[in-house]
Amino acid sequence: MAKPVTILDVAALAGVSKSAASLALRGTGYVNEAKRRAVLDAAAELGYRPNAAARALGARRSGIVGLILDDLRNPWFVPAVEGLSDGLHSAGLRPLLGDWRLEGAPLVERFLELRVEGIVLVGTLDGAEAALTGIAAPVVQVGSPQAQAPGAAVVTNDDAEGARRVVRHLAALGHRRVAHLGAPGTAVGDARRVGFEDESRRLGLEHRTVGAGLTEEAGYRAGRALLAETDRPTAVFAVNDMAALGVLSAAGDLGLSVPADVSLAGYDDTPTARLRAVGLTSVDNASGEAGRVAAQLLADQIAGAAGAGVAVLLAPELKARSSTAPPPAAR
Amino acid sequence: MAKPVTILDVAALAGVSKSAASLALRGTGYVNEAKRRAVLDAAAELGYRPNAAARALGARRSGIVGLILDDLRNPWFVPAVEGLSDGLHSAGLRPLLGDWRLEGAPLVERFLELRVEGIVLVGTLDGAEAALTGIAAPVVQVGSPQAQAPGAAVVTNDDAEGARRVVRHLAALGHRRVAHLGAPGTAVGDARRVGFEDESRRLGLEHRTVGAGLTEEAGYRAGRALLAETDRPTAVFAVNDMAALGVLSAAGDLGLSVPADVSLAGYDDTPTARLRAVGLTSVDNASGEAGRVAAQLLADQIAGAAGAGVAVLLAPELKARSSTAPPPAAR
DNA sequence: GTGAAAGCGCTAACAC
DNA sequence: GTGTTAGCGCTTTCAC
């Protein structure tokens, strides 16, 4: 490759000093209009591209924010990243993505070496606490109610409220015997279970919770066992869409039709749930909005404003689809 | 935050020179074993974290590779990224991700300013040619057969062969009247259509191709029209899984059962297709392997070996599931 | 073998 | 107002 063009070359071509070129290029400070033009033209002509490393070193700030995604395979994070990208850009910060599942703790290290100005945790990162303890950069997390780094700000939807809305929806359809497939030991699982149980009790529904997990496999197993019982519930609320899809498969295996024989609801409103062929009733967890709020929070912290430890709860929204209907008895 | 600790602090604590510390830390060159230990201990004690910007500036290389994903929403790229991550790490390169749909051309610019040592294009990037023309970094692309940057190496699966396998599968099941929902104007669409038509002709099947697109919506529309005809095909092969899911919905709307009334196949073997509740016959496009090969190719190019313009075709694999079965007449 | 010194490309105080 | 200069933190060549 040709010898790289530096700001010195630009300055020389434009006939100005190095620092004048720097100022002109960046629009900071005051520069003679004629020289400004000359610098810009020279830069364009030479195809000048600033060196981010040099800039970061000189300016003592990188302008980048590291986004750590819990798992690329589960696309629930997409709206969150969109919101974050939006919010960060308008704060003059640039996001860079990495996958926790694929890279783990070294990813954090790498971001820190890049001197990112902040880190955003998207989703639930297994065992990230250690890697995130004692770091200088501000941390904001979206999508998990449990702080995964000391002092991290948390932005997420109100899982308990979302679960309550599902229960109300099922009750309104006429269901009296409902079940919840939970994910014990996870923060989202606990919150959703609590919401489910509270609201079921309040409405006087016959209800029960069984442990499952956050994956399709877990939902399939638990669903299979649950739906095989003689006094099976008329409606099942799974902790998330993946698990709900597992239940859907289990129902199919058992010859049960959804929603004719059993109604089914999930959580997260994933693209898969929205597919017409699936049509899973779910809860929109407002992750796009969460991303936007998180970006703002992080920008504030970077700018020096307080905000560490803040927790923001967003209102979730029920998305009723074809997987829920009145119970068989009520027909 | 506390004053950042630099390599100077480490050297001082260890009682050695700055350069000795640098050598020891990185394992390059020869350093007295005792000093080596001293440096490492000092670094650990101080919590020293090298500054990537300074390192990149001094070493004149960043060690990072930019991965540009076409669209985070379509999770087909996950195996490719896994393969890439693997391959790059073992070549001593570190991947950083960005989303083309969200950021567009400025993302390329940003990577270039970071002086990435290479760029990987994952999927089909709309209108990326301009942003990728005339750049110095080597470019490798995976998942799209059509070169999106001058001289880019291409690693992808053999789409025509995959389509042929689908046709053979359908023919073996007894289907004689088949249709293809294509994506005209896209490279993958063209290749799959050609494979479909060639093999159908070779096997003497009654076949036709109708234009659709790569999205669920496109598949739904085209599927709806196609399946409403009186002499509808007994099997439909959609250009990808998303489109096939659209067809699945269309069939449901029309009261047709899959696979009893009509068989259905897609392409890409996405996680959604694999869901038990969906069970869509599809084609594994070997994207994990493609990622690994692409990483190797890129590493070679970075190391100075040739490889620009190379094209590698991987063998796809049919994944038969419950959406394909013998045609009604043959039952 | 080891340490001193000269950059790497850019920013930002600070004189002129 | 504009240009000069001293770093930023690390690598690496090159004398000792």
Side-chain angles (χ1 to χ4, degrees):
Chain A
M1 44 185 157
K3 152 143 60 72
V5 16
T6 78
I7 199 172
L8 244 59
D9 302 318
V10 174
L13 209 182
V16 305
S17 77
K18 187 171 83 161
S19 50
S22 173
L23 293 190
L25 249 8
R26 216 148 13 96
T28 315
Y30 203 97
V31 186
N32 181 316
E33 180 56 23
K35 301 201 169 181
R36 240 181 61 79
R37 281 239 61 78
V39 170
L40 264 30
D41 290 349
E45 182 177 340
L46 294 174
Y48 170 68
R49 180 141 36 214
N51 182 320
R55 188 200 310 124
L57 205 51
R60 295 167 206 22
R61 54 172 303 183
S62 65
I64 99 174
V65 167
L67 305 198
I68 304 186
L69 310 179
D70 64 337
D71 184 351
L72 277 180
R73 293 174 304 183
N74 187 344
W76 77 267
F77 65 79
V78 173
V81 170
E82 292 178 1
L84 281 162
S85 182
D86 250 38
L88 291 173
H89 271 102
S90 42
L93 294 164
R94 317 263 158 260
L96 241 25
L97 309 180
D99 180 7
W100 174 261
R101 181 179 66 95
L102 251 33
E103 307 214 34
L107 176 61
V108 177
E109 198 58 29
R110 219 135 67 68
F111 276 151
L112 260 19
E113 293 185 0
L114 277 172
R115 299 297 187 263
V116 294
E117 302 193 18
I119 289 184
V120 182
L121 274 25
V122 185
T124 304
L125 277 42
D126 292 338
E129 297 77 9
L132 292 168
T133 298
I135 69 179
V139 176
V140 171
Q141 59 180 66
V142 6
S144 171
Q146 127 204 81
Q148 297 172 88
V154 174
V155 184
T156 184
N157 91 113
D158 187 340
D159 288 297
E161 172 59 19
R164 276 184 233 115
R165 294 190 185 196
V166 171
V167 174
R168 285 202 287 274
H169 168 66
L170 296 175
L173 286 171
H175 292 273
R176 304 295 304 163
R177 188 163 69 248
V178 298
H180 174 56
L181 258 51
T186 67
V188 295
D190 290 343
R192 291 171 193 177
R193 175 184 52 72
V194 166
F196 167 80
E197 293 176 349
D198 280 0
E199 193 68 8
S200 295
R201 195 174 305 120
R202 198 179 72 75
L203 296 175
L205 302 184
E206 181 184 333
H207 66 282
R208 51 190 290 213
T209 298
V210 307
L214 296 166
T215 63
E216 194 225 352
E217 182 62 25
Y220 177 78
R221 288 226 193 89
R224 180 102 199 196
L226 180 70
L227 296 179
E229 299 179 3
T230 51
D231 65 333
R232 61 161 191 270
T234 62
V236 175
F237 165 42
V239 64
N240 69 359
D241 287 350
M242 297 298 280
L245 291 168
V247 177
L248 188 57
S249 303
D253 282 6
L254 295 168
L256 296 174
S257 158
V258 172
D261 298 316
V262 58
S263 281
L264 180 60
Y267 206 114
D268 284 345
D269 195 30
T270 53
T272 307
R274 285 195 289 263
L275 288 175
R276 261 176 292 240
V278 174
L280 179 68
T281 290
S282 189
V283 179
D284 179 345
N285 56 22
S287 57
E289 178 61 11
R292 224 173 311 278
V293 171
Q296 190 54 55
L297 231 48
L298 188 62
D300 289 350
Q301 282 194 58
I302 291 173
V310 169
V312 178
L313 272 194
L314 269 21
E317 190 181 341
L318 182 79
K319 299 287 186 182
R321 299 203 178 84
S322 56
S323 70
T324 45
R331 301 202 151 195
Chain B
M1 43 184 158
K3 152 144 60 72
V5 15
T6 76
I7 199 172
L8 245 58
D9 303 318
V10 175
L13 209 183
V16 305
S17 79
K18 187 171 85 160
S19 48
S22 171
L23 292 191
L25 250 7
R26 216 150 11 96
T28 314
Y30 204 98
V31 186
N32 183 316
E33 181 55 26
K35 301 202 169 180
R36 238 182 64 79
R37 280 239 61 79
V39 171
L40 263 31
D41 290 349
E45 181 176 341
L46 294 174
Y48 169 69
R49 181 142 34 219
N51 181 320
R55 189 197 312 121
L57 205 52
R60 294 165 207 26
R61 52 173 304 183
S62 65
I64 99 174
V65 167
L67 305 200
I68 304 185
L69 309 179
D70 62 338
D71 183 353
L72 276 180
R73 293 173 305 183
N74 187 345
W76 77 268
F77 66 79
V78 173
V81 170
E82 292 178 2
L84 281 162
S85 182
D86 250 38
L88 291 174
H89 271 103
S90 43
L93 294 164
R94 318 262 157 261
L96 241 27
L97 308 181
D99 180 6
W100 174 259
R101 181 179 65 95
L102 251 33
E103 307 214 35
L107 175 60
V108 176
E109 198 57 30
R110 220 136 64 70
F111 276 151
L112 260 16
E113 292 186 0
L114 279 172
R115 300 296 187 264
V116 295
E117 303 193 17
I119 289 184
V120 182
L121 274 26
V122 186
T124 303
L125 278 43
D126 292 339
E129 297 78 9
L132 292 167
T133 298
I135 69 179
V139 176
V140 171
Q141 60 180 66
V142 7
S144 171
Q146 124 205 83
Q148 298 172 88
V154 174
V155 184
T156 184
N157 91 113
D158 187 340
D159 287 296
E161 173 58 20
R164 276 184 233 118
R165 293 190 185 194
V166 171
V167 175
R168 285 201 287 274
H169 168 66
L170 296 174
L173 286 172
H175 292 273
R176 303 295 303 165
R177 191 164 65 247
V178 299
H180 174 56
L181 258 52
T186 67
V188 296
D190 290 343
R192 291 172 192 175
R193 174 184 53 73
V194 167
F196 167 80
E197 293 176 348
D198 280 359
E199 193 69 9
S200 295
R201 194 172 307 118
R202 197 178 72 76
L203 295 173
L205 303 183
E206 182 184 332
H207 65 281
R208 50 190 289 210
T209 298
V210 308
L214 297 165
T215 65
E216 195 225 352
E217 183 61 26
Y220 178 77
R221 289 226 194 88
R224 180 103 199 196
L226 181 69
L227 296 178
E229 299 179 4
T230 50
D231 64 335
R232 62 163 190 271
T234 62
V236 175
F237 164 41
V239 65
N240 69 359
D241 287 350
M242 297 299 279
L245 290 167
V247 177
L248 188 58
S249 303
D253 282 6
L254 294 169
L256 296 175
S257 158
V258 171
D261 297 316
V262 58
S263 281
L264 181 60
Y267 206 113
D268 285 345
D269 195 31
T270 53
T272 307
R274 285 194 289 262
L275 288 174
R276 260 175 293 240
V278 174
L280 178 68
T281 291
S282 191
V283 179
D284 179 344
N285 56 22
S287 57
E289 178 60 11
R292 223 174 312 277
V293 172
Q296 189 54 56
L297 231 46
L298 189 62
D300 289 351
Q301 282 194 59
I302 291 173
V310 170
V312 178
L313 272 193
L314 269 22
E317 190 180 343
L318 182 79
K319 299 286 187 183
R321 299 204 176 82
S322 56
S323 70
T324 45
R331 301 204 150 190

